[in-house]
Amino acid sequence: LTFDAVDGVFAVAPITNVNKNIEIELPVPTKDGFVFKHWLVNDSKVSMNYTPNGDTTFVAVWAASFDVTFVMNNGEANVVLPIEENTVAKIDTPIYDGHTFVGWFKDEALTEAYNNANITEAITLYAKWDEVIVGTEGLVYTENADGTTCYVSGYYGTVTEVLIGNYYNGKT
């Protein structure tokens, strides 16, 4: 087997001698500023689990990428991911005890929402959170971003009727 990583590198040298007709898992190279897309054999895309039937040359296909830094704002370390150019930056929804995730923002002041625009440059996204306030009656209140108002976001009580007041801890 021959691997042409097209200027990419391998963390571990790929296996080049294998038995015919036995499935192997193809290696994944890396390349600064790019994400690995797939391998080509004779100009055709092949699966990452491949069964060679003789001498085979694999050619790497790359896509330009940009680093997106996700600032969690929850005490966890920032996450930096290479995101393919002209695709949406996605990451699993973060968790922060006592808070509800609002979304990702493009500025540290959390005023300019990231609306799933395609990535065309390296950027930093900041997680925005609303604090969850648990009421004494089993009501769960979530504080709005302005810090002066809140809303009922859940109920953990057992009664079927609950009276919700106009104010909670001085907030409307």
Side-chain angles (χ1 to χ4, degrees):
L1 303 179
T2 303
F3 293 92
D4 179 358
V6 189
D7 297 328
V9 295
F10 296 98
V12 176
I15 298 170
T16 55
N17 287 325
V18 296
N19 293 325
K20 286 177 17 177
N21 301 320
I22 295 177
E23 185 177 277
I24 61 167
E25 184 174 340
L26 298 177
V28 177
T30 59
K31 183 176 179 180
D32 287 342
F34 293 84
V35 290
F36 175 75
K37 298 280 288 184
H38 55 264
W39 290 107
L40 293 178
V41 172
N42 297 325
D43 294 324
S44 295
K45 179 181 174 182
V46 296
S47 166
M48 290 303 291
N49 293 314
Y50 185 79
T51 304
N53 57 10
D55 290 339
T56 306
T57 298
F58 299 90
V59 178
V61 176
W62 301 96
S65 70
F66 298 101
D67 283 345
V68 175
T69 302
F70 295 89
V71 177
M72 298 298 170
N73 286 331
N74 64 355
E76 293 181 13
N78 297 345
V79 174
V80 179
L81 295 176
I83 304 294
E84 183 178 336
E85 182 178 29
N86 292 317
T87 62
V88 175
K90 292 183 182 179
I91 189 172
D92 291 339
T93 302
I95 297 172
Y96 187 10
D97 286 341
H99 294 78
T100 302
F101 179 69
V102 174
W104 294 107
F105 285 73
K106 296 191 276 186
D107 62 318
E108 200 167 358
L110 306 174
T111 60
E112 188 180 351
Y114 168 67
N115 294 316
N116 297 325
N118 286 345
I119 299 300
T120 58
E121 63 184 343
I123 63 168
T124 299
L125 298 175
Y126 301 86
K128 182 174 183 176
W129 302 95
D130 278 341
E131 184 177 5
V132 174
I133 306 164
V134 179
T136 56
E137 306 89 17
L139 294 171
V140 177
Y141 294 86
T142 298
E143 186 175 324
N144 287 321
D146 64 11
T148 61
T149 61
C150 63
Y151 60 93
V152 175
S153 58
Y155 175 65
Y156 295 104
T158 57
V159 296
T160 57
E161 291 184 25
V162 177
L163 178 61
I164 301 172
N166 291 331
Y167 296 92
Y168 180 77
N169 284 349
K171 296 178 172 79
T172 59

